[in-house]
Amino acid sequence: MNLKKLIALLAVFALILAACDAGGGGDDETTPTTAATDDGGGTDDGGGTDDGGGDTGAQTGGNLLEEVIARGTLNCGVNETLPGFGSKDEAGAFVGFDVDLCRAVAAAVLGDSEAVEYTALTAAQRFEALSSGSIDMLSRNTTWTQSRDGELGVDFAPTTYYDGQQVMARSADGFDSGSGLSDLAGAVVCTNAGTTTEKNITEAMQAAGADFTLTTFEDFNIVLENFKSGACDAVTTDGSGLISRKSTDEPAPGDWVIFPAVPISKEPLGPGVAQGDAKWADAVNWTMYALIIAEEQGITSANVDDMLANPPNGEVQRLLGGEEEKQTAMGLPADAFYNVIKQVGNYGEIFDTHLSVLGLERGLNALWSDGGLLYAPPAR
Amino acid sequence: MTDPIVNEVQESESAPEKPSAGAIRWAKENLFSSVINSILSLLMLAIIVLFVRGLLSYLFSEERLWNVIPRNMKLYWTEAYPVAEMTRTWVSLGVVVVLTGLSLAVWRVGGRTSPRQFGRTLTSLGIAGLVLAILADASAGIRIGAAVVGAVLILAGQAVRLMAGPGFKEETIHIRSILLGVLAIIGGIVWILPIESGTKVSLSIQGVLLVVSYLLGGLITSRVSGGLARGALVGLWMLSLPVIYLVIQRAPVVADVPLMSVFLPSVVGFIVVGGAFLWWAGSGKAGEPGRLAAGVVVLAALGSWAVSLPMLVRFLLLGLATFALAAPTFGGTSKAQKNIVVAWSAGVLLTAYFMAMMQADTGLEGLQGEFIGGLNLTFLLALAGLAISFPIGIMLALGRTSSMPIFRLLSTGYIETVRGVPLITVLFFANLVINRFLPREVELDDVVKAIVAVALFSAAYLAENVRGGLQSIPKGQYEAAKAMGLSTVQTTVFITLPQALRSVIPALVGQVISLFKDTSLVAIIGLADFLRVARDIVPNQPASLGSLRESLLFAMVIYWIFTFNVSRASLRLERKLGVGER
């Protein structure tokens, strides 16, 4: 009996010892590890996506472009719950406007729009994922703000979608497209919790001098169910979300109206990269510009081969990798933007595929020459 | 109940049947026996009619986007599993289906029922169809269809009842032939549904597999003893879990596993040296030196985690320690000695095999740890969590009731700590902190971390359930065992634990069910389980906007089907083991 107790005691002692060592082992860099003991399943495939660095990962000193090329895949953070911008199709593949921006960058840098590893991120996870280096590029309906640019270490690419927060209510309750926030006095306004929409509507209603009740739900589908059942008099979120839900969920055309005409907030959405890597930021920025220039010049995925063979002007010729092209100097393949247009399409094509089908109009997102805000620097 | 199902052995003991009274008389006696009862009955009837009408109108309304469900079946089932590799999930399902078919046959599930009862069931279904046709605020097509189906079912039911007649009461139908008919009808529906033809073929193959394996199971049962067949099936079920998830679905690339340098020497060494050691330890002559040696092995096993060694060696050392501790109890005769060594060799081979599969990278393109999602992930979490938590829970329960203060203190501390913390916290803890507690070279992916969290959480609750069972064992059992000369371990393994587990089956099943449903919390650490697919992913597809309710209702039905079947199975088990009768 005594021996059994002794064994038990020794076992406990050894357990404690083992635990201490394992706990302390975290700091011990010199512990020799053999290949045989690597049980991790190989998530870190040598590309240098050092995930231990936290914020320091952002200052990698301008070699992310080479890293991505060496790795052969682009790690892109996207949304999986925003219709039109990022969602999953029936097979489980990511689709949407923001997803196509990732595909465009992969086509430019790697020549293959399918060479993307997507990570579905929540709003809370996205900046940490970017600064820790687990994603190369964030394309998840992220609003360009001063604090994110300045404090959170995000470098924003050009805005790809100009959005703004609006309100949707029932025309049966006396609202029309000319209504203003002051008409919402006494109404129950619903939105989803944990986003800036709450803050925006509260500030805007205060400014309009109208009292209202704000009710929040966990996600926008539930907000909309409550709007449909009558528990909410109005719902508020970004205009794109309201328009797409109006086009699919409205009982009869004209039942729901969206106002005010001038949104209550500015939401310039675009991709972002980690701060401190100018070369990589340039590659992403110019991929976005190339999408816009291609639309300006009328280059589409259908006619890009003709355009390359008979360029109508110097800019098209340079953009598609002809003489005097400027891509090689950026560290990109000469035919980078040809691949983008060929495999993904120009800005207008992406917009039509994912957003026009949801009832969204170009509006602010038309080319500058059509009265919108999309304006790309010249490719020369 | 004037017409009980004729599958109970106690039929001869039951009271003589009352003469069939007729519906009107029954209603008079039970619903309209007094004025107040009549008012209450009518009131309840009105409420039920309104409720059923509302529910049916909701379900069959043209606004419902039910087409979203079959279209997204792949997402619900496997989430982002590569489309090109879907055969792997079908094969996994096939393994489960074949084992189910064999089990149904070997355990002889499904008794017999009388044709009258069957006719009655058909009639009830028919009446339900008519109710649907009358009450539901649905399209004319659905209502007419429901009315026709209902009428046909009622006629069929009455025909069966008439044909059976009162004189044929002893004639019975086997429930399995009814189930076969249901399976055929489901097969027919599958071929009508708007889904890909590949899926239809695969589903039909599964149905055929079920029938064939059932017949095969019947054949096996008639050849070998029931105990052997059941034991083999239990073993196969336990093996099926790692085989499905580590081998079939993970598609491991074995080429980069150090088979020759690490695995082969370890396996041979542990089988030869460990086998010889266990032969000696289980001989019954080892005595005190044997116990001392076992202690040394335990120390070595625990110490191996502090030094750099291949994971395989660490796990095999742990296994050897367990076997060394158990050998004196189970050994003694030369036959027992042989059994220990055989079990040890099989254990070494299986451990090495599954560890090799686990260490190999997955061959699936573009996906590392997160290739499992949807219902597939829900099952993995629930089953693996259960498989791991069960032994841990029993150990903790034994530790807490042990007379050794250190074990008692550790177990009690663990149980009370874990039970005092919400599962979400344990999940976050596991996701963010667990790697800090492990040797540096071990890095777990998110799914494994979630399994560990679920298992550790569930073990604490299981331990308390088992402890309740242990405390219900009368003291006389311990004393009798002691008087027979059994050691403490022998008393526990052969006398008290089996009785304790039997008496807490209802509580254990409750734990299993809540574990199954609790797995939906893993969405919080970013895993795409079944509920997350149903709640977040499907309703946000541009083509499925506004389908949140349909999707959630579907999820509800699926969860219900599985939990309901678990509780039915446990009722069967309880009846068989006579819980509550002794």
Side-chain angles (χ1 to χ4, degrees):
Chain A
M1 266 333 255
N2 274 334
L3 198 64
K4 269 190 191 167
K5 277 186 187 169
L6 185 72
I7 292 170
L9 254 175
L10 281 173
V12 170
F13 186 61
L15 199 70
I16 294 167
L17 257 183
C20 287
D21 190 89
D27 307 319
D28 187 5
E29 294 285 352
T30 54
T31 308
T33 54
T34 60
T37 57
D38 187 354
D39 193 39
T43 44
D44 188 359
D45 40 5
T49 51
D50 187 319
D51 54 1
D55 284 351
T56 55
Q59 279 89 43
T60 44
N63 56 6
L64 196 50
L65 181 59
E66 285 151 36
E67 261 181 46
V68 171
I69 292 171
R71 193 193 307 142
T73 54
L74 171 75
N75 293 330
C76 203
V78 294
N79 198 341
E80 61 176 359
T81 57
L82 189 64
F85 289 89
S87 59
K88 277 185 173 170
D89 68 4
E90 283 91 29
F94 286 94
V95 289
F97 182 85
D98 284 344
V99 174
D100 270 3
L101 300 183
C102 298
R103 295 179 59 227
V105 172
V109 175
L110 302 165
D112 178 7
S113 66
E114 301 307 310
V116 190
E117 271 218 30
Y118 298 102
T119 310
L121 296 171
T122 64
Q125 294 168 328
R126 54 185 163 179
F127 299 117
E128 160 66 20
L130 195 60
S131 64
S132 72
S134 65
I135 55 171
D136 307 317
M137 169 184 172
L138 175 69
S139 185
R140 191 200 172 282
N141 51 288
T142 306
T143 305
W144 188 348
T145 67
Q146 187 183 2
S147 63
R148 287 171 182 174
D149 211 339
E151 292 165 29
L152 282 174
V154 184
D155 262 0
F156 281 90
T159 300
T160 48
Y161 190 92
Y162 291 94
D163 214 337
Q165 190 176 338
Q166 287 175 301
V167 180
M168 182 161 73
R170 279 176 282 269
S171 52
D173 293 345
F175 293 100
D176 58 51
S177 54
S179 302
L181 290 184
S182 48
D183 299 323
L184 281 171
V188 178
V189 180
C190 302
T191 189
N192 41 332
T195 64
T196 50
T197 50
E198 278 177 78
K199 200 172 150 220
N200 290 340
I201 187 75
T202 312
E203 285 178 3
M205 291 297 278
Q206 266 169 6
D211 273 340
F212 77 119
T213 312
L214 183 67
T215 310
T216 57
F217 297 94
E218 202 194 324
D219 72 72
F220 195 71
N221 281 309
I222 299 172
V223 173
L224 207 76
E225 292 293 337
N226 280 281
F227 178 62
K228 285 199 239 174
S229 71
C232 304
D233 296 320
V235 294
T236 179
T237 190
D238 285 354
S240 58
L242 293 178
I243 295 167
S244 63
R245 300 315 293 261
K246 184 175 186 285
S247 74
T248 52
D249 284 47
E250 196 176 20
D255 278 6
W256 297 350
V257 287
I258 295 174
F259 62 91
V262 176
I264 61 175
S265 74
K266 292 187 288 183
E267 309 286 344
L269 310 177
V273 296
Q275 206 165 300
D277 190 339
K279 219 170 171 189
W280 174 242
D282 283 346
V284 174
N285 291 352
W286 273 92
T287 306
M288 301 305 128
Y289 289 138
L291 294 171
I292 298 170
I293 298 171
E295 193 185 4
E296 284 176 2
Q297 298 286 354
I299 317 172
T300 65
S301 53
N303 70 10
V304 64
D305 288 309
D306 293 340
M307 286 284 200
L308 179 64
N310 309 301
N313 57 43
E315 184 164 39
V316 171
Q317 181 183 324
R318 290 191 294 275
L319 194 72
L320 295 182
E323 268 177 57
E324 294 182 42
E325 53 84 17
K326 307 296 178 199
Q327 282 80 262
T328 318
M330 295 177 65
L332 294 175
D335 61 353
F337 299 143
Y338 165 82
N339 287 329
V340 171
I341 311 301
K342 179 76 182 167
Q343 297 177 17
V344 186
N346 67 29
Y347 182 91
E349 287 178 271
I350 299 175
F351 195 102
D352 286 344
T353 312
H354 299 295
L355 301 180
S356 296
V357 291
L358 287 174
L360 299 187
E361 284 163 14
R362 288 296 288 267
L364 286 180
N365 298 296
L367 296 175
W368 59 283
S369 47
D370 297 337
L373 292 174
L374 290 188
Y375 186 101
R380 65 168 184 256
Chain B
M1 279 300 277
T2 51
D3 216 345
I5 300 176
V6 198
N7 63 353
E8 298 294 324
V9 244
Q10 303 101 322
E11 223 226 327
S12 54
E13 300 166 14
S14 66
E17 259 181 68
K18 276 191 211 163
S20 185
I24 296 173
R25 200 171 140 195
W26 180 87
K28 232 179 212 168
E29 279 175 8
N30 291 287
L31 298 176
F32 302 102
S33 55
S34 71
V35 179
I36 297 175
N37 273 0
S38 305
I39 295 172
L40 283 177
S41 297
L42 288 176
L43 200 68
M44 284 313 291
L45 192 69
I47 292 175
I48 291 171
V49 165
L50 278 177
F51 176 76
V52 171
R53 185 184 153 77
L55 186 70
L56 290 177
S57 304
Y58 182 82
L59 292 180
F60 289 93
S61 158
E62 281 170 33
E63 286 172 28
R64 296 276 82 79
L65 303 168
W66 291 116
N67 61 336
V68 164
I69 310 287
R71 200 176 64 214
N72 283 301
M73 216 37 112
K74 193 253 164 193
L75 264 187
Y76 286 117
W77 184 16
T78 63
E79 215 254 335
Y81 200 80
V83 181
E85 303 277 351
M86 277 301 281
T87 322
R88 294 181 178 277
T89 59
W90 285 113
V91 172
S92 315
L93 185 65
V95 170
V96 175
V97 163
V98 166
L99 285 177
T100 307
L102 289 174
S103 304
L104 288 178
V106 168
W107 269 276
R108 295 205 179 80
V109 175
R112 306 180 74 86
T113 184
S114 72
R116 295 185 64 199
Q117 179 65 28
F118 178 53
R120 188 178 291 237
T121 311
L122 280 182
T123 312
S124 313
L125 283 173
I127 291 174
L130 285 186
V131 167
L132 169 64
I134 296 166
L135 285 182
D137 187 13
S139 70
I142 291 175
R143 297 177 84 153
I144 293 171
V148 169
V149 171
V152 167
L153 280 176
I154 290 176
L155 284 178
Q158 292 304 319
V160 170
R161 285 184 74 179
L162 283 178
M163 275 198 299
F168 294 85
K169 203 184 151 286
E170 59 279 4
E171 284 280 326
T172 54
I173 326 169
H174 208 293
I175 285 181
R176 73 180 166 209
S177 36
I178 298 174
L179 287 179
L180 195 65
V182 172
L183 198 65
I185 292 171
I186 293 175
I189 293 173
V190 161
W191 281 88
I192 298 171
L193 280 179
I195 47 179
E196 281 176 43
S197 54
T199 313
K200 292 177 183 176
V201 172
S202 307
L203 280 173
S204 309
I205 293 174
Q206 305 288 343
V208 172
L209 274 181
L210 184 63
V211 174
V212 169
S213 59
Y214 183 83
L215 296 175
L216 194 68
L219 206 65
I220 292 172
T221 320
S222 63
R223 295 285 161 82
V224 300
S225 79
L228 182 67
R230 284 194 284 271
L233 261 180
V234 168
L236 284 176
W237 272 112
M238 298 216 300
L239 273 183
S240 70
L241 182 71
V243 165
I244 284 176
Y245 285 103
L246 288 178
V247 184
I248 300 180
Q249 294 203 3
R250 203 163 168 273
V253 183
V254 190
D256 44 40
V257 176
L259 286 181
M260 283 299 144
S261 60
V262 175
F263 276 77
L264 195 65
S266 308
V267 167
V268 172
F270 270 96
I271 288 184
V272 172
V273 180
F277 169 65
L278 289 173
W279 181 266
W280 170 70
S283 63
K285 284 173 271 173
E288 284 296 293
R291 286 189 198 150
L292 191 66
V296 171
V297 176
V298 170
L299 279 184
L302 294 171
S304 70
W305 290 80
V307 294
S308 180
L309 272 175
M311 284 307 271
L312 178 67
V313 175
R314 289 171 173 162
F315 272 102
L316 288 180
L317 271 173
L318 272 183
L320 187 62
T322 316
F323 267 80
L325 288 175
T329 305
F330 296 93
T333 65
S334 64
K335 192 174 167 235
Q337 252 175 313
K338 214 179 93 194
N339 282 346
I340 290 174
V341 174
V342 168
W344 166 246
S345 309
V348 170
L349 285 174
L350 284 176
T351 311
Y353 176 67
F354 287 124
M355 292 230 21
M357 294 298 138
M358 213 150 79
Q359 284 189 17
D361 277 350
T362 166
L364 302 174
E365 268 204 29
L367 295 158
Q368 291 301 336
E370 293 106 30
F371 58 87
I372 287 180
L375 205 50
N376 204 9
L377 174 68
T378 299
F379 279 127
L380 171 63
L381 289 172
L383 295 175
L386 193 69
I388 298 172
S389 69
F390 215 85
I392 299 180
I394 290 176
M395 303 257 249
L396 285 171
L398 293 175
R400 193 167 181 175
T401 51
S402 150
S403 56
M404 296 189 216
I406 291 176
F407 285 143
R408 205 166 56 227
L409 203 70
L410 283 176
S411 303
T412 311
Y414 176 85
I415 291 169
E416 296 305 340
T417 310
V418 173
R419 287 206 311 164
V421 176
L423 178 55
I424 291 185
T425 319
V426 179
L427 282 169
F428 272 128
F429 175 83
N431 196 38
L432 299 171
V433 189
I434 217 165
N435 276 342
R436 296 241 145 215
F437 284 83
L438 294 171
R440 197 166 165 69
E441 67 273 13
V442 184
E443 184 136 334
L444 303 177
D445 64 33
D446 283 355
V447 174
V448 179
K449 284 189 258 187
I451 292 175
V452 171
V454 167
L456 292 183
F457 183 78
S458 161
Y461 284 85
L462 275 173
E464 284 301 273
N465 288 340
V466 174
R467 185 170 69 96
L470 285 172
Q471 284 177 342
S472 74
I473 309 285
K475 215 176 169 207
Q477 297 277 331
Y478 292 94
E479 284 162 359
K482 209 159 219 171
M484 298 283 288
L486 298 184
S487 71
T488 313
V489 178
Q490 282 168 329
T491 309
T492 307
V493 174
F494 297 119
I495 308 290
T496 55
L497 200 53
Q499 298 185 64
L501 289 179
R502 204 199 66 197
S503 66
V504 293
I505 287 176
L508 291 181
V509 171
Q511 179 61 28
V512 170
I513 289 177
S514 83
L515 173 73
F516 178 64
K517 292 183 296 182
D518 283 351
T519 56
S520 56
L521 287 172
V522 297
I524 209 106
I525 54 167
L527 295 179
D529 78 309
F530 178 55
L531 186 63
R532 172 133 176 257
V533 172
R535 203 194 66 157
D536 287 344
I537 296 179
V538 167
N540 280 317
Q541 291 175 335
S544 315
L545 285 180
S547 65
L548 178 68
R549 295 179 191 200
E550 289 82 349
S551 198
L552 285 180
L553 268 171
F554 172 68
M556 192 181 95
V557 169
I558 295 293
Y559 275 113
W560 180 80
I561 288 175
F562 286 108
T563 48
F564 181 70
N565 275 308
V566 169
S567 52
R568 296 306 292 182
S570 94
L571 278 182
R572 241 186 85 82
L573 190 65
E574 279 173 38
R575 265 209 305 275
K576 205 164 172 179
L577 296 177
V579 176
E581 283 170 22
R582 272 187 259 180

